[in-house]
Amino acid sequence: MKLWGGRFTKETDQLVQNFNESLSFDQKFYRQDIRGSIAHVKMLAKQGILTEEDRDAIVRGLKEIREDLDSGKLTISPDSGYEDIHSFVEGTLTERIGEAGKRLHTGRSRNDQVALDMKLYIRDEIDELDELTERLLREILEIMEKNTETYMPGFTHLQKAQPITLAHHMGAYFEMFSRDRSRLADIRRRMNYCPLGSGALAGTTYPLDREYTASLLDFAGPTLNSMDSVADRDYLIELLAALSTISMHLSRFCEEIIIWNTNEYRFVELDDSYSTGSSIMPQKKNPDIAELIRGKCGRVYGALVSLLTTMKGLPLAYNKDMQEDKELTFDAVDTVKGCLSLFAGMLSSMTFRKDVMEASAKRGFTNATDAADYLVNKGVPFRDAHGIVGQLVLVCIEKGIALDDLPLEEYKKISPVFEEDVYEAISMKTCVDRRNTLGAPGPEAMKKVIAVYKERLAERKD
Ligand code: ARG
């Protein structure tokens, strides 16, 4: 059934029908389409545009369609001939309840209808994304709380740099995913205005109560320009940008886990339930899930660039190009939801090898800056101290030992300023404990930050 046969004298070419249809993918939001229609007819009846009997028949009919689709009693067949979910719902309703069904579309266009459906759908998805991000944040926070004294090397250029703690490293990701969550909340707030009642592009002549429809659908209010209402896809672009950033954060985290899980590092061990094997090499235990999450970033970025390109140069108001917003947004949302929940599971089941991490920090001269600071505290200018410790590092490299294991005589050969207390000053514990500026890895500073994070999660503050 078509919604627009009147002015046509020929049937649509089958290829055109196939190319033009969106039912195969916009059926994803049949629940939102029905919810929007119910609100619309309630408003029409309140305004006296539709009788109460028609309203009741339509609402009952729509609810039954929803139930039947939910239960599988009614299915959406690809060769039903319907162009989109809007035609499918209206056609099925009219088949079921007769005449009243034909009044559903009064004062509405598919342009404002699809704008509404997509907003309702995306709003629900943002809520789910928010929950998944929160779950990941809680996971990270739990690891942080347990590891404020788990020492590990911090890296720059992927070279060991200075000692940090696992809590501190995890905290960096807590910050990233907190910003992601706050971006989602911003988008939700900005998009939360109801386009229904904008008609095809120029509103309608019926006395619609757009505030009422907006409130029935939990929007902050109606949109204020009917042309923009049907042509706006900014919120999808913003969402895809936020999803791209989440994917980028996940891929960085995955990359670190992949490195940490190698035989060379052994900082972590992925759980068997989150690893896969090789068909030929019996010894293998591969981090496929981390790699896949890292890899899926590409399709999410792709969706963002695709939609930006589709929207570029589109004249006002609605253009069919905009139908292209759906598949790619659905795919990006589903991909990121999958990645977030898989990643949280992988993280919570992973084992951290604290002894290996600490030994690695020691072996990498991550306390060299602290050895220089030790000399500075004894009156040596920093530039000289830097040179002295550089020489000490060279001696240690030749001997294949850490600064902590170099005998005091060797220290003294290079600078007589060194005393027995140097070992205490460059111990992993001292190096980290003394870094207590806000945001640094020292346990005191870290505990303060953890308390802030806990409060943020409890009060849902960004
Ligand atoms: N399937 C269309 C879309 O997704 C619905 C709106 C159709 N409007 C129209 N004037 N053809 O954009």
Side-chain angles (χ1 to χ4, degrees):
M1 197 226 40
K2 280 204 181 60
L3 300 177
W4 42 263
R7 62 104 61 222
F8 287 78
T9 53
K10 271 192 179 172
E11 277 302 305
T12 318
D13 187 282
Q14 190 54 47
L15 284 177
V16 173
Q17 163 68 21
N18 297 349
F19 193 65
N20 193 47
E21 69 86 28
S22 54
L23 181 63
S24 52
F25 48 88
D26 62 16
Q27 55 180 274
K28 205 168 169 85
F29 51 53
Y30 74 85
R31 306 194 98 249
Q32 286 78 7
D33 189 76
I34 290 175
R35 184 175 176 208
S37 289
I38 292 176
H40 182 62
V41 294
K42 284 188 177 163
M43 181 278 294
L44 290 178
K46 181 179 92 65
Q47 297 300 94
I49 305 166
L50 198 72
T51 63
E52 291 189 353
E53 300 74 68
D54 280 346
R55 177 198 61 198
D56 294 344
I58 295 174
V59 170
R60 207 177 315 115
L62 287 171
K63 285 186 175 164
E64 276 168 26
I65 293 175
R66 184 167 59 198
E67 272 162 32
D68 292 352
L69 283 171
D70 285 348
S71 70
K73 204 166 136 195
L74 176 64
T75 51
I76 302 175
S77 134
D79 38 40
S80 63
Y82 285 114
E83 186 181 331
D84 49 35
I85 189 63
H86 326 296
S87 332
F88 175 87
V89 171
E90 187 181 323
T92 312
L93 180 71
T94 305
E95 263 169 40
R96 290 186 173 192
I97 70 166
E99 211 53 19
K102 297 190 202 160
R103 297 188 201 279
L104 165 64
H105 209 52
T106 314
R108 187 173 75 169
S109 155
R110 276 183 300 165
N111 296 353
D112 59 346
Q113 187 177 357
V114 77
L116 171 72
D117 292 3
M118 196 65 179
K119 273 195 171 178
L120 288 174
Y121 183 82
I122 290 302
R123 208 175 57 178
D124 291 346
E125 294 294 301
I126 289 180
D127 292 344
E128 280 189 38
L129 282 160
D130 177 71
E131 266 174 44
L132 290 167
T133 316
E134 187 194 336
R135 206 188 117 202
L136 178 55
L137 286 170
R138 288 192 188 282
E139 206 58 67
I140 295 174
L141 193 57
E142 209 182 301
I143 299 174
M144 289 178 71
E145 284 189 87
K146 289 188 200 142
N147 291 288
T148 50
E149 279 165 53
T150 305
Y151 307 118
M152 68 181 284
F155 295 82
T156 62
H157 312 270
L158 206 51
Q159 303 278 332
K160 291 177 196 174
Q162 290 178 337
I164 54 162
T165 63
L166 180 57
H168 191 239
H169 200 116
M170 290 291 128
Y173 285 102
F174 190 96
E175 288 285 338
M176 292 180 233
F177 292 114
S178 296
R179 287 194 295 272
D180 286 328
R181 200 166 173 227
S182 128
R183 257 185 287 275
L184 290 172
D186 286 348
I187 297 167
R188 193 190 196 287
R189 187 175 32 77
R190 205 166 17 256
M191 67 168 276
N192 199 24
Y193 292 87
C194 183
L196 200 64
S198 299
L201 78 161
T204 87
T205 53
Y206 298 97
L208 306 186
D209 184 347
R210 295 195 56 217
E211 262 92 14
Y212 182 68
T213 319
S215 75
L216 287 180
L217 294 169
D218 299 322
F219 283 102
T223 52
L224 296 182
N225 182 291
S226 59
M227 291 183 80
D228 179 58
S229 306
V230 294
D232 168 32
R233 299 292 182 273
D234 290 7
Y235 69 101
L236 297 179
I237 290 170
E238 285 188 45
L239 176 67
L240 292 173
L243 294 180
S244 295
T245 311
I246 296 178
S247 302
M248 179 266 289
H249 291 154
L250 285 172
S251 87
R252 294 181 74 173
F253 210 160
C254 282
E255 170 68 8
E256 299 212 283
I257 289 173
I258 292 164
I259 295 175
W260 292 351
N261 188 54
T262 57
N263 241 323
E264 288 69 21
Y265 274 75
R266 295 177 56 252
F267 283 10
V268 298
E269 165 127 29
L270 289 175
D271 194 63
D272 278 4
S273 61
Y274 274 82
S275 311
T276 48
S278 157
S279 58
I280 172 167
M281 298 167 281
Q283 84 284 12
K284 292 278 258 170
K285 183 170 148 187
N286 294 328
D288 285 27
I289 300 311
E291 291 171 62
L292 259 180
I293 297 174
R294 183 179 60 181
K296 288 207 187 270
C297 215
R299 60 204 274 178
V300 181
Y301 290 3
L304 171 63
V305 175
S306 250
L307 188 58
L308 277 169
T309 313
T310 297
M311 295 306 291
K312 176 186 173 297
L314 281 192
L316 289 177
Y318 177 82
N319 297 274
K320 189 73 172 213
D321 314 45
M322 292 188 310
Q323 178 166 290
E324 285 293 309
D325 64 355
K326 303 199 176 47
E327 287 158 290
L328 51 90
T329 308
F330 295 158
D331 182 69
V333 168
D334 291 345
T335 300
V336 173
K337 281 197 318 194
C339 289
L340 280 169
S341 68
L342 261 294
F343 187 86
M346 181 171 75
L347 193 64
S348 65
S349 59
M350 200 165 87
T351 318
F352 291 94
R353 296 175 182 271
K354 302 181 186 185
D355 50 334
V356 179
M357 286 178 161
E358 183 168 347
S360 165
K362 279 191 181 153
R363 273 197 321 274
F365 301 107
T366 56
N367 48 3
T369 318
D370 298 81
D373 290 346
Y374 167 88
L375 291 174
V376 170
N377 285 329
K378 302 222 167 191
V380 181
F382 181 77
R383 196 45 59 210
D384 294 342
H386 189 287
I388 293 167
V389 178
Q391 290 177 53
L392 285 168
V393 167
L394 207 58
V395 173
C396 288
I397 291 174
E398 275 164 15
K399 294 185 183 294
I401 56 173
L403 279 173
D404 312 56
D405 304 323
L406 189 70
L408 190 59
E409 315 92 73
E410 299 281 344
Y411 273 97
K412 282 190 173 291
K413 269 191 215 161
I414 296 178
S415 168
V417 181
F418 284 113
E419 297 296 341
E420 193 57 41
D421 59 352
V422 67
Y423 296 106
E424 168 75 35
I426 64 165
S427 81
M428 221 29 68
K429 185 167 163 43
T430 315
C431 293
V432 173
D433 282 2
R434 292 186 47 222
R435 288 185 154 75
N436 265 320
T437 40
L438 185 65
E444 287 319 308
M446 209 62 241
K447 278 175 193 149
K448 275 188 211 145
V449 168
I450 288 175
V452 174
Y453 290 169
K454 271 189 155 171
E455 200 185 313
R456 254 199 228 169
L457 281 183
E459 295 178 17
R460 177 57 268 230
K461 275 194 291 187
D462 299 318

